Amino acid sequence: MKDTTCEPQKCFASNNANTGTILHNQENKMEKTSKLKNRRAFLAGAAAAPVSIAVSTSAAKAQEAFSWRFQTLWGSGSINMRIFEAFCDRVGVMSGGRLTIEPLPGGTVVGAMELYDAVQNGILDGQNGGGGYVAQKDIAFIMLGDLAGAYERPDQMQAWYEYGGGKELARELYASHGTYHVGLVWHGMESIPSRVPIRGTADLKGVKMRAPTGSVSEILARFGGAPVSIPGSEVYTSLEQGVLDATDWGTLSMNADLGFAKVAKYSIYPGFHSMPATDIVVNQSRWDSLPEDLQAILTVATRDFSRDMYQQLMIEDQKIAQDADNLGIELVDWPAEERLKFRQTASEVWSELAAESEMAIKMVDSQTLFLKQLGLL
């Protein structure tokens, strides 16, 4: 029988050898596991690096502060200027101070006719201007800001702008001239103060009325009126002396502030022939530099600005309307059928004036369709 018992030294050596083999294998496994963990950690770190950089860049941009200057058309101290100043303040509050706008009254840096170019060229960051001052660039600017005789109320035109395709057309137009159109701002329906009663389209015949060159003058002429182009500084005296019978100027309260009630005893109210909108427009590169949240804040604040301007001036108009008897003014409200006659003739003028501009044609066609949806045409 074979003795399987080994000598103590030989058994120890054998056990050591086996143990060494086992330990060696364990060390190899641990080394492989460690390398695998290191490799995974490296790959995870490499993958995370771009995200970390992107997050850091995004966070840095989110903390960047912007200090801008906007010039308006309105004069210092006017109600319009106070509403504009409130808009600028609101942007600062809503953005937590990351976007501040210095409100500059009309004429501070440039004149009204140079305002858009100053924004386009980066001299100003933005404006509260109007399309009527850049009509020489494209008549489409006029068709966007004041389609004469079109709407009954500003909220109808705002609905077209926000939901009827107007916003997209406006941004296409302004982008082609190096700026970003943030939004339109309405200041109400203009009234026509007159020395003679104008109760419908037939009464426009022979009326000498101060009117800006363009659609209003052309529409007046279609009804036999006599449009006159004179500076605003001469309007009061011309009415007083009978050189003018009427004037296309501002809202009922604006006209009252200028004292027109003393020389023109009639006033078409509520107005409908003109509903001009100003705007908030920003230099394109400045707009592009803003983080998305600040772009959204400025857009929403502009909508709020538009509401403030229209509603506050509407309240001022109503105050004058309620005091009309004491002021010696007879308010003339045109019936719906007379407004429709005016609008139908106006629509012919829009199309004729827009014919030379592809963008103006788009503006007119879009609004004409929307007016038909509203039952106004």
Side-chain angles (χ1 to χ4, degrees), residues 240-304:
E240 185 178 39
Q241 296 176 351
V243 175
L244 290 177
D245 297 313
T247 184
D248 172 19
W249 190 259
T251 64
L252 186 66
S253 57
M254 290 178 182
N255 295 338
D257 285 343
L258 292 172
F260 287 161
K262 298 175 183 177
V263 293
K265 298 304 179 182
Y266 301 92
S267 192
I268 297 177
Y269 177 82
F272 68 92
H273 79 287
S274 179
M275 191 184 62
T278 58
D279 54 40
I280 292 295
V281 171
V282 178
N283 175 278
Q284 185 68 57
S285 63
R286 307 288 164 79
W287 173 262
D288 293 340
S289 72
L290 286 182
E292 288 185 2
D293 65 323
L294 292 185
Q295 291 178 345
I297 285 172
L298 187 55
T299 301
V300 172
T302 298
R303 287 189 202 171
D304 203 47

Short mmCIF file of all heavy atoms in Angstrom, two decimals, residues 240-304:
data_model
loop_
_atom_site.label_atom_id
_atom_site.label_comp_id
_atom_site.label_asym_id
_atom_site.label_seq_id
_atom_site.Cartn_x
_atom_site.Cartn_y
_atom_site.Cartn_z
N GLU A 240 -57.05 127.84 -36.94
CA GLU A 240 -57.60 129.07 -36.37
C GLU A 240 -57.96 130.08 -37.45
O GLU A 240 -59.00 130.76 -37.38
CB GLU A 240 -56.57 129.66 -35.40
CG GLU A 240 -57.05 130.88 -34.63
CD GLU A 240 -56.00 131.38 -33.67
OE1 GLU A 240 -54.79 131.37 -34.03
OE2 GLU A 240 -56.36 131.78 -32.55
N GLN A 241 -57.12 130.17 -38.48
CA GLN A 241 -57.32 131.15 -39.55
C GLN A 241 -58.18 130.63 -40.69
O GLN A 241 -58.48 131.37 -41.63
CB GLN A 241 -55.96 131.60 -40.09
CG GLN A 241 -55.12 132.33 -39.05
CD GLN A 241 -53.73 132.69 -39.56
OE1 GLN A 241 -53.33 132.26 -40.65
NE2 GLN A 241 -53.00 133.49 -38.80
N GLY A 242 -58.59 129.36 -40.64
CA GLY A 242 -59.44 128.81 -41.69
C GLY A 242 -58.68 128.33 -42.91
O GLY A 242 -59.30 127.97 -43.92
N VAL A 243 -57.35 128.30 -42.82
CA VAL A 243 -56.55 127.75 -43.93
C VAL A 243 -56.82 126.25 -44.03
O VAL A 243 -56.82 125.68 -45.13
CB VAL A 243 -55.05 128.03 -43.70
CG1 VAL A 243 -54.21 127.35 -44.79
CG2 VAL A 243 -54.79 129.52 -43.66
N LEU A 244 -57.05 125.62 -42.89
CA LEU A 244 -57.42 124.22 -42.83
C LEU A 244 -58.83 124.07 -42.28
O LEU A 244 -59.26 124.85 -41.42
CB LEU A 244 -56.46 123.44 -41.90
CG LEU A 244 -55.01 123.22 -42.36
CD1 LEU A 244 -54.24 122.51 -41.24
CD2 LEU A 244 -54.94 122.43 -43.64
N ASP A 245 -59.53 123.04 -42.77
CA ASP A 245 -60.83 122.69 -42.21
C ASP A 245 -60.70 121.58 -41.16
O ASP A 245 -61.55 121.47 -40.27
CB ASP A 245 -61.77 122.18 -43.32
CG ASP A 245 -62.05 123.25 -44.36
OD1 ASP A 245 -62.35 124.39 -43.98
OD2 ASP A 245 -61.95 122.93 -45.57
N ALA A 246 -59.67 120.78 -41.28
CA ALA A 246 -59.50 119.63 -40.38
C ALA A 246 -58.03 119.20 -40.40
O ALA A 246 -57.25 119.65 -41.25
CB ALA A 246 -60.39 118.48 -40.83
N THR A 247 -57.70 118.31 -39.46
CA THR A 247 -56.33 117.80 -39.44
C THR A 247 -56.28 116.35 -38.98
O THR A 247 -57.07 115.92 -38.13
CB THR A 247 -55.42 118.64 -38.52
OG1 THR A 247 -54.07 118.14 -38.61
CG2 THR A 247 -55.88 118.58 -37.06
N ASP A 248 -55.40 115.59 -39.59
CA ASP A 248 -55.10 114.24 -39.16
C ASP A 248 -53.91 114.38 -38.22
O ASP A 248 -52.80 114.71 -38.67
CB ASP A 248 -54.75 113.37 -40.38
CG ASP A 248 -54.23 112.00 -39.98
OD1 ASP A 248 -54.48 111.59 -38.84
OD2 ASP A 248 -53.58 111.36 -40.82
N TRP A 249 -54.12 114.15 -36.92
CA TRP A 249 -53.01 114.37 -35.99
C TRP A 249 -52.86 113.20 -35.03
O TRP A 249 -52.15 112.26 -35.29
CB TRP A 249 -53.20 115.69 -35.24
CG TRP A 249 -51.97 116.07 -34.47
CD1 TRP A 249 -51.77 115.91 -33.13
CD2 TRP A 249 -50.77 116.61 -34.99
NE1 TRP A 249 -50.51 116.33 -32.78
CE2 TRP A 249 -49.87 116.77 -33.91
CE3 TRP A 249 -50.36 116.98 -36.27
CZ2 TRP A 249 -48.59 117.29 -34.07
CZ3 TRP A 249 -49.08 117.49 -36.43
CH2 TRP A 249 -48.22 117.64 -35.34
N GLY A 250 -53.59 113.28 -33.89
CA GLY A 250 -53.42 112.23 -32.88
C GLY A 250 -54.74 111.77 -32.31
O GLY A 250 -55.80 111.96 -32.90
N THR A 251 -54.69 111.14 -31.16
CA THR A 251 -55.91 110.68 -30.49
C THR A 251 -56.66 111.88 -29.92
O THR A 251 -56.15 113.00 -29.89
CB THR A 251 -55.57 109.70 -29.36
OG1 THR A 251 -54.83 110.39 -28.34
CG2 THR A 251 -54.75 108.53 -29.87
N LEU A 252 -57.87 111.63 -29.43
CA LEU A 252 -58.70 112.71 -28.90
C LEU A 252 -57.98 113.47 -27.78
O LEU A 252 -57.99 114.71 -27.76
CB LEU A 252 -60.02 112.13 -28.38
CG LEU A 252 -61.07 113.13 -27.91
CD1 LEU A 252 -61.58 113.98 -29.08
CD2 LEU A 252 -62.24 112.41 -27.23
N SER A 253 -57.35 112.75 -26.88
CA SER A 253 -56.66 113.41 -25.76
C SER A 253 -55.40 114.13 -26.22
O SER A 253 -55.07 115.21 -25.70
CB SER A 253 -56.32 112.40 -24.67
OG SER A 253 -55.53 111.33 -25.17
N MET A 254 -54.69 113.56 -27.18
CA MET A 254 -53.50 114.24 -27.72
C MET A 254 -53.90 115.56 -28.37
O MET A 254 -53.23 116.59 -28.18
CB MET A 254 -52.79 113.35 -28.76
CG MET A 254 -52.10 112.13 -28.20
SD MET A 254 -51.37 111.17 -29.56
CE MET A 254 -50.69 109.78 -28.65
N ASN A 255 -54.98 115.53 -29.14
CA ASN A 255 -55.46 116.75 -29.80
C ASN A 255 -55.89 117.80 -28.78
O ASN A 255 -55.65 119.00 -28.95
CB ASN A 255 -56.62 116.43 -30.73
CG ASN A 255 -56.20 115.55 -31.90
OD1 ASN A 255 -55.03 115.50 -32.27
ND2 ASN A 255 -57.15 114.84 -32.48
N ALA A 256 -56.54 117.34 -27.69
CA ALA A 256 -56.98 118.26 -26.64
C ALA A 256 -55.79 118.91 -25.96
O ALA A 256 -55.81 120.10 -25.64
CB ALA A 256 -57.84 117.52 -25.62
N ASP A 257 -54.72 118.12 -25.74
CA ASP A 257 -53.51 118.67 -25.12
C ASP A 257 -52.90 119.79 -25.95
O ASP A 257 -52.29 120.72 -25.42
CB ASP A 257 -52.47 117.56 -24.93
CG ASP A 257 -52.82 116.63 -23.78
OD1 ASP A 257 -53.66 117.01 -22.94
OD2 ASP A 257 -52.26 115.52 -23.73
N LEU A 258 -53.08 119.70 -27.26
CA LEU A 258 -52.54 120.73 -28.17
C LEU A 258 -53.48 121.92 -28.33
O LEU A 258 -53.16 122.87 -29.04
CB LEU A 258 -52.24 120.11 -29.54
CG LEU A 258 -51.10 119.09 -29.57
CD1 LEU A 258 -51.03 118.41 -30.93
CD2 LEU A 258 -49.76 119.76 -29.25
N GLY A 259 -54.64 121.85 -27.68
CA GLY A 259 -55.58 122.97 -27.71
C GLY A 259 -56.44 123.05 -28.95
O GLY A 259 -57.07 124.08 -29.22
N PHE A 260 -56.51 121.97 -29.72
CA PHE A 260 -57.29 122.00 -30.96
C PHE A 260 -58.77 122.25 -30.70
O PHE A 260 -59.49 122.74 -31.59
CB PHE A 260 -57.11 120.69 -31.74
CG PHE A 260 -55.76 120.53 -32.39
CD1 PHE A 260 -55.29 119.29 -32.78
CD2 PHE A 260 -54.95 121.64 -32.63
CE1 PHE A 260 -54.05 119.14 -33.39
CE2 PHE A 260 -53.71 121.51 -33.22
CZ PHE A 260 -53.26 120.27 -33.61
N ALA A 261 -59.25 121.90 -29.50
CA ALA A 261 -60.67 122.12 -29.19
C ALA A 261 -61.06 123.59 -29.26
O ALA A 261 -62.23 123.92 -29.48
CB ALA A 261 -60.98 121.56 -27.80
N LYS A 262 -60.10 124.46 -29.12
CA LYS A 262 -60.38 125.90 -29.16
C LYS A 262 -60.64 126.39 -30.58
O LYS A 262 -61.31 127.41 -30.77
CB LYS A 262 -59.21 126.68 -28.55
CG LYS A 262 -58.94 126.36 -27.09
CD LYS A 262 -57.70 127.08 -26.60
CE LYS A 262 -57.37 126.71 -25.16
NZ LYS A 262 -56.12 127.36 -24.70
N VAL A 263 -60.12 125.68 -31.57
CA VAL A 263 -60.23 126.16 -32.95
C VAL A 263 -60.94 125.16 -33.87
O VAL A 263 -61.13 125.44 -35.04
CB VAL A 263 -58.82 126.48 -33.53
CG1 VAL A 263 -58.21 127.68 -32.81
CG2 VAL A 263 -57.89 125.26 -33.42
N ALA A 264 -61.29 123.98 -33.33
CA ALA A 264 -62.00 122.96 -34.13
C ALA A 264 -63.08 122.35 -33.23
O ALA A 264 -62.77 121.58 -32.33
CB ALA A 264 -61.02 121.89 -34.61
N LYS A 265 -64.33 122.68 -33.49
CA LYS A 265 -65.42 122.33 -32.59
C LYS A 265 -66.01 120.94 -32.83
O LYS A 265 -66.91 120.52 -32.10
CB LYS A 265 -66.54 123.38 -32.71
CG LYS A 265 -66.09 124.78 -32.28
CD LYS A 265 -65.53 124.78 -30.86
CE LYS A 265 -65.06 126.17 -30.42
NZ LYS A 265 -64.46 126.14 -29.08
N TYR A 266 -65.54 120.24 -33.84
CA TYR A 266 -66.03 118.90 -34.13
C TYR A 266 -64.85 117.92 -34.06
O TYR A 266 -63.70 118.28 -34.35
CB TYR A 266 -66.67 118.82 -35.51
CG TYR A 266 -67.83 119.75 -35.70
CD1 TYR A 266 -67.63 121.03 -36.22
CD2 TYR A 266 -69.13 119.36 -35.37
CE1 TYR A 266 -68.70 121.90 -36.39
CE2 TYR A 266 -70.20 120.22 -35.54
CZ TYR A 266 -69.98 121.49 -36.04
OH TYR A 266 -71.04 122.35 -36.21
N SER A 267 -65.15 116.70 -33.68
CA SER A 267 -64.10 115.69 -33.64
C SER A 267 -64.69 114.31 -33.89
O SER A 267 -65.66 113.92 -33.23
CB SER A 267 -63.39 115.71 -32.27
OG SER A 267 -62.21 114.95 -32.32
N ILE A 268 -64.13 113.59 -34.87
CA ILE A 268 -64.58 112.23 -35.15
C ILE A 268 -64.07 111.32 -34.04
O ILE A 268 -62.86 111.20 -33.81
CB ILE A 268 -64.07 111.74 -36.52
CG1 ILE A 268 -64.65 112.60 -37.64
CG2 ILE A 268 -64.42 110.28 -36.73
CD1 ILE A 268 -64.14 112.24 -39.03
N TYR A 269 -65.03 110.71 -33.31
CA TYR A 269 -64.66 109.86 -32.17
C TYR A 269 -65.75 108.83 -31.95
O TYR A 269 -66.93 109.19 -31.95
CB TYR A 269 -64.49 110.71 -30.91
CG TYR A 269 -64.18 109.90 -29.67
CD1 TYR A 269 -62.87 109.50 -29.40
CD2 TYR A 269 -65.18 109.52 -28.78
CE1 TYR A 269 -62.58 108.74 -28.27
CE2 TYR A 269 -64.90 108.76 -27.66
CZ TYR A 269 -63.59 108.38 -27.41
OH TYR A 269 -63.30 107.63 -26.29
N PRO A 270 -65.45 107.53 -31.76
CA PRO A 270 -64.11 106.95 -31.81
C PRO A 270 -63.50 107.05 -33.21
O PRO A 270 -64.21 106.90 -34.20
CB PRO A 270 -64.34 105.49 -31.43
CG PRO A 270 -65.68 105.44 -30.77
CD PRO A 270 -66.47 106.53 -31.43
N GLY A 271 -62.21 107.27 -33.24
CA GLY A 271 -61.52 107.37 -34.52
C GLY A 271 -61.39 106.00 -35.17
O GLY A 271 -61.49 104.97 -34.52
N PHE A 272 -61.17 105.99 -36.47
CA PHE A 272 -61.01 104.72 -37.18
C PHE A 272 -60.12 104.86 -38.40
O PHE A 272 -59.64 103.86 -38.93
CB PHE A 272 -62.38 104.18 -37.64
CG PHE A 272 -63.00 105.01 -38.72
CD1 PHE A 272 -62.79 104.71 -40.05
CD2 PHE A 272 -63.74 106.14 -38.41
CE1 PHE A 272 -63.35 105.49 -41.05
CE2 PHE A 272 -64.31 106.92 -39.40
CZ PHE A 272 -64.11 106.60 -40.72
N HIS A 273 -59.89 106.09 -38.86
CA HIS A 273 -59.19 106.26 -40.13
C HIS A 273 -57.70 105.93 -40.02
O HIS A 273 -57.05 105.59 -41.02
CB HIS A 273 -59.33 107.71 -40.63
CG HIS A 273 -58.42 108.67 -39.95
ND1 HIS A 273 -58.61 109.09 -38.64
CD2 HIS A 273 -57.28 109.28 -40.37
CE1 HIS A 273 -57.64 109.92 -38.30
NE2 HIS A 273 -56.82 110.05 -39.33
N SER A 274 -57.16 106.01 -38.81
CA SER A 274 -55.72 105.78 -38.64
C SER A 274 -55.47 105.20 -37.25
O SER A 274 -55.98 105.71 -36.25
CB SER A 274 -54.95 107.08 -38.82
OG SER A 274 -53.56 106.86 -38.64
N MET A 275 -54.69 104.14 -37.22
CA MET A 275 -54.35 103.49 -35.96
C MET A 275 -52.86 103.15 -35.98
O MET A 275 -52.47 101.99 -36.01
CB MET A 275 -55.18 102.22 -35.78
CG MET A 275 -55.10 101.60 -34.43
SD MET A 275 -56.03 100.06 -34.38
CE MET A 275 -55.15 99.10 -35.58
N PRO A 276 -52.02 104.16 -35.98
CA PRO A 276 -50.59 103.92 -36.16
C PRO A 276 -49.97 103.18 -34.99
O PRO A 276 -50.33 103.40 -33.83
CB PRO A 276 -50.01 105.33 -36.29
CG PRO A 276 -50.99 106.19 -35.56
CD PRO A 276 -52.33 105.58 -35.79
N ALA A 277 -49.04 102.32 -35.30
CA ALA A 277 -48.32 101.58 -34.27
C ALA A 277 -46.86 101.98 -34.31
O ALA A 277 -46.27 102.14 -35.38
CB ALA A 277 -48.45 100.08 -34.51
N THR A 278 -46.28 102.17 -33.13
CA THR A 278 -44.84 102.29 -33.04
C THR A 278 -44.29 100.87 -32.87
O THR A 278 -45.00 99.89 -33.05
CB THR A 278 -44.43 103.21 -31.88
OG1 THR A 278 -44.95 102.70 -30.64
CG2 THR A 278 -44.97 104.62 -32.11
N ASP A 279 -43.02 100.74 -32.51
CA ASP A 279 -42.44 99.41 -32.42
C ASP A 279 -41.34 99.35 -31.38
O ASP A 279 -40.90 100.38 -30.86
CB ASP A 279 -41.88 98.99 -33.79
CG ASP A 279 -40.89 100.02 -34.36
OD1 ASP A 279 -40.08 100.58 -33.59
OD2 ASP A 279 -40.93 100.28 -35.58
N ILE A 280 -40.92 98.16 -31.07
CA ILE A 280 -39.66 97.93 -30.36
C ILE A 280 -38.80 97.11 -31.30
O ILE A 280 -39.15 95.99 -31.67
CB ILE A 280 -39.86 97.19 -29.03
CG1 ILE A 280 -40.59 98.07 -28.02
CG2 ILE A 280 -38.51 96.73 -28.45
CD1 ILE A 280 -39.82 99.31 -27.58
N VAL A 281 -37.70 97.72 -31.73
CA VAL A 281 -36.80 97.10 -32.70
C VAL A 281 -35.38 97.16 -32.13
O VAL A 281 -34.98 98.16 -31.55
CB VAL A 281 -36.87 97.84 -34.05
CG1 VAL A 281 -35.77 97.36 -35.00
CG2 VAL A 281 -38.23 97.64 -34.70
N VAL A 282 -34.63 96.07 -32.32
CA VAL A 282 -33.28 95.94 -31.76
C VAL A 282 -32.29 95.62 -32.87
O VAL A 282 -32.63 94.93 -33.84
CB VAL A 282 -33.25 94.82 -30.69
CG1 VAL A 282 -31.85 94.63 -30.14
CG2 VAL A 282 -34.22 95.13 -29.56
N ASN A 283 -31.08 96.15 -32.74
CA ASN A 283 -30.00 95.80 -33.65
C ASN A 283 -29.85 94.28 -33.67
O ASN A 283 -29.86 93.64 -32.62
CB ASN A 283 -28.71 96.47 -33.18
CG ASN A 283 -27.51 96.07 -33.99
OD1 ASN A 283 -26.91 95.02 -33.77
ND2 ASN A 283 -27.13 96.90 -34.94
N GLN A 284 -29.74 93.70 -34.86
CA GLN A 284 -29.76 92.23 -34.99
C GLN A 284 -28.64 91.55 -34.19
O GLN A 284 -28.88 90.56 -33.49
CB GLN A 284 -29.65 91.83 -36.46
CG GLN A 284 -29.79 90.33 -36.71
CD GLN A 284 -31.18 89.80 -36.43
OE1 GLN A 284 -32.16 90.26 -36.99
NE2 GLN A 284 -31.29 88.83 -35.53
N SER A 285 -27.42 92.06 -34.25
CA SER A 285 -26.32 91.42 -33.54
C SER A 285 -26.50 91.53 -32.03
O SER A 285 -26.12 90.62 -31.27
CB SER A 285 -24.97 92.02 -33.95
OG SER A 285 -24.90 93.39 -33.61
N ARG A 286 -27.09 92.64 -31.57
CA ARG A 286 -27.35 92.79 -30.12
C ARG A 286 -28.40 91.77 -29.68
O ARG A 286 -28.31 91.19 -28.61
CB ARG A 286 -27.83 94.21 -29.81
CG ARG A 286 -26.92 95.31 -30.33
CD ARG A 286 -25.60 95.43 -29.59
NE ARG A 286 -24.64 96.22 -30.35
CZ ARG A 286 -24.62 97.54 -30.43
NH1 ARG A 286 -25.52 98.26 -29.79
NH2 ARG A 286 -23.69 98.16 -31.14
N TRP A 287 -29.43 91.60 -30.51
CA TRP A 287 -30.46 90.62 -30.19
C TRP A 287 -29.85 89.22 -30.12
O TRP A 287 -30.14 88.44 -29.20
CB TRP A 287 -31.57 90.66 -31.23
CG TRP A 287 -32.59 89.57 -31.07
CD1 TRP A 287 -32.64 88.38 -31.72
CD2 TRP A 287 -33.69 89.56 -30.16
NE1 TRP A 287 -33.72 87.63 -31.29
CE2 TRP A 287 -34.38 88.33 -30.32
CE3 TRP A 287 -34.18 90.48 -29.21
CZ2 TRP A 287 -35.52 88.01 -29.59
CZ3 TRP A 287 -35.32 90.14 -28.49
CH2 TRP A 287 -35.96 88.92 -28.68
N ASP A 288 -29.02 88.89 -31.09
CA ASP A 288 -28.40 87.56 -31.15
C ASP A 288 -27.51 87.30 -29.94
O ASP A 288 -27.28 86.14 -29.57
CB ASP A 288 -27.59 87.41 -32.43
CG ASP A 288 -28.47 87.39 -33.69
OD1 ASP A 288 -29.68 87.12 -33.55
OD2 ASP A 288 -27.94 87.67 -34.78
N SER A 289 -26.99 88.35 -29.34
CA SER A 289 -26.09 88.19 -28.19
C SER A 289 -26.83 87.85 -26.90
O SER A 289 -26.22 87.40 -25.93
CB SER A 289 -25.27 89.47 -27.97
OG SER A 289 -26.08 90.52 -27.45
N LEU A 290 -28.15 88.05 -26.87
CA LEU A 290 -28.93 87.81 -25.65
C LEU A 290 -29.19 86.32 -25.45
O LEU A 290 -29.49 85.61 -26.40
CB LEU A 290 -30.28 88.52 -25.73
CG LEU A 290 -30.35 90.03 -25.57
CD1 LEU A 290 -31.80 90.48 -25.63
CD2 LEU A 290 -29.71 90.50 -24.28
N PRO A 291 -29.10 85.84 -24.21
CA PRO A 291 -29.57 84.48 -23.91
C PRO A 291 -31.06 84.37 -24.20
O PRO A 291 -31.78 85.38 -24.20
CB PRO A 291 -29.28 84.32 -22.41
CG PRO A 291 -28.29 85.38 -22.07
CD PRO A 291 -28.55 86.51 -23.02
N GLU A 292 -31.54 83.16 -24.41
CA GLU A 292 -32.93 82.96 -24.80
C GLU A 292 -33.91 83.49 -23.76
O GLU A 292 -34.98 83.99 -24.10
CB GLU A 292 -33.20 81.48 -25.06
CG GLU A 292 -32.56 80.96 -26.35
CD GLU A 292 -32.94 79.52 -26.64
OE1 GLU A 292 -33.73 78.94 -25.86
OE2 GLU A 292 -32.45 78.98 -27.65
N ASP A 293 -33.56 83.36 -22.47
CA ASP A 293 -34.51 83.83 -21.45
C ASP A 293 -34.67 85.34 -21.48
O ASP A 293 -35.78 85.87 -21.28
CB ASP A 293 -34.11 83.34 -20.06
CG ASP A 293 -32.79 83.93 -19.58
OD1 ASP A 293 -31.87 84.11 -20.42
OD2 ASP A 293 -32.66 84.20 -18.37
N LEU A 294 -33.60 86.07 -21.78
CA LEU A 294 -33.70 87.53 -21.88
C LEU A 294 -34.45 87.94 -23.14
O LEU A 294 -35.17 88.94 -23.14
CB LEU A 294 -32.31 88.17 -21.84
CG LEU A 294 -31.55 88.06 -20.52
CD1 LEU A 294 -30.24 88.85 -20.59
CD2 LEU A 294 -32.40 88.54 -19.35
N GLN A 295 -34.28 87.18 -24.22
CA GLN A 295 -35.06 87.45 -25.42
C GLN A 295 -36.56 87.30 -25.12
O GLN A 295 -37.38 88.12 -25.54
CB GLN A 295 -34.65 86.49 -26.54
CG GLN A 295 -33.26 86.74 -27.09
CD GLN A 295 -32.87 85.73 -28.16
OE1 GLN A 295 -33.50 84.69 -28.32
NE2 GLN A 295 -31.82 86.03 -28.91
N ALA A 296 -36.89 86.25 -24.37
CA ALA A 296 -38.30 86.01 -24.02
C ALA A 296 -38.83 87.12 -23.11
O ALA A 296 -39.96 87.58 -23.27
CB ALA A 296 -38.45 84.65 -23.34
N ILE A 297 -38.01 87.57 -22.17
CA ILE A 297 -38.42 88.64 -21.26
C ILE A 297 -38.70 89.92 -22.03
O ILE A 297 -39.72 90.59 -21.81
CB ILE A 297 -37.34 88.87 -20.18
CG1 ILE A 297 -37.38 87.75 -19.14
CG2 ILE A 297 -37.51 90.24 -19.50
CD1 ILE A 297 -36.23 87.77 -18.16
N LEU A 298 -37.83 90.27 -22.96
CA LEU A 298 -38.01 91.50 -23.74
C LEU A 298 -39.26 91.40 -24.63
O LEU A 298 -39.99 92.38 -24.79
CB LEU A 298 -36.77 91.77 -24.59
CG LEU A 298 -36.74 93.11 -25.35
CD1 LEU A 298 -36.95 94.28 -24.39
CD2 LEU A 298 -35.44 93.28 -26.12
N THR A 299 -39.51 90.23 -25.17
CA THR A 299 -40.70 90.03 -26.02
C THR A 299 -41.98 90.19 -25.22
O THR A 299 -42.91 90.89 -25.64
CB THR A 299 -40.65 88.63 -26.67
OG1 THR A 299 -39.46 88.51 -27.47
CG2 THR A 299 -41.86 88.41 -27.57
N VAL A 300 -42.04 89.56 -24.05
CA VAL A 300 -43.23 89.65 -23.22
C VAL A 300 -43.42 91.07 -22.68
O VAL A 300 -44.54 91.59 -22.62
CB VAL A 300 -43.15 88.63 -22.06
CG1 VAL A 300 -44.29 88.85 -21.06
CG2 VAL A 300 -43.21 87.21 -22.60
N ALA A 301 -42.32 91.72 -22.30
CA ALA A 301 -42.40 93.09 -21.80
C ALA A 301 -42.91 94.04 -22.88
O ALA A 301 -43.62 95.01 -22.58
CB ALA A 301 -41.03 93.54 -21.31
N THR A 302 -42.57 93.76 -24.13
CA THR A 302 -43.06 94.59 -25.24
C THR A 302 -44.57 94.44 -25.41
O THR A 302 -45.28 95.42 -25.65
CB THR A 302 -42.33 94.21 -26.55
OG1 THR A 302 -40.93 94.48 -26.40
CG2 THR A 302 -42.87 95.01 -27.73
N ARG A 303 -45.08 93.22 -25.29
CA ARG A 303 -46.53 93.02 -25.34
C ARG A 303 -47.21 93.82 -24.22
O ARG A 303 -48.26 94.43 -24.42
CB ARG A 303 -46.87 91.54 -25.17
CG ARG A 303 -46.55 90.66 -26.34
CD ARG A 303 -47.16 89.28 -26.09
NE ARG A 303 -46.51 88.26 -26.88
CZ ARG A 303 -46.72 86.95 -26.72
NH1 ARG A 303 -47.56 86.55 -25.79
NH2 ARG A 303 -46.12 86.07 -27.47
N ASP A 304 -46.61 93.80 -23.05
CA ASP A 304 -47.17 94.52 -21.91
C ASP A 304 -47.12 96.03 -22.14
O ASP A 304 -48.05 96.76 -21.79
CB ASP A 304 -46.39 94.14 -20.65
CG ASP A 304 -47.19 94.36 -19.38
OD1 ASP A 304 -48.35 93.94 -19.33
OD2 ASP A 304 -46.64 94.97 -18.43
#
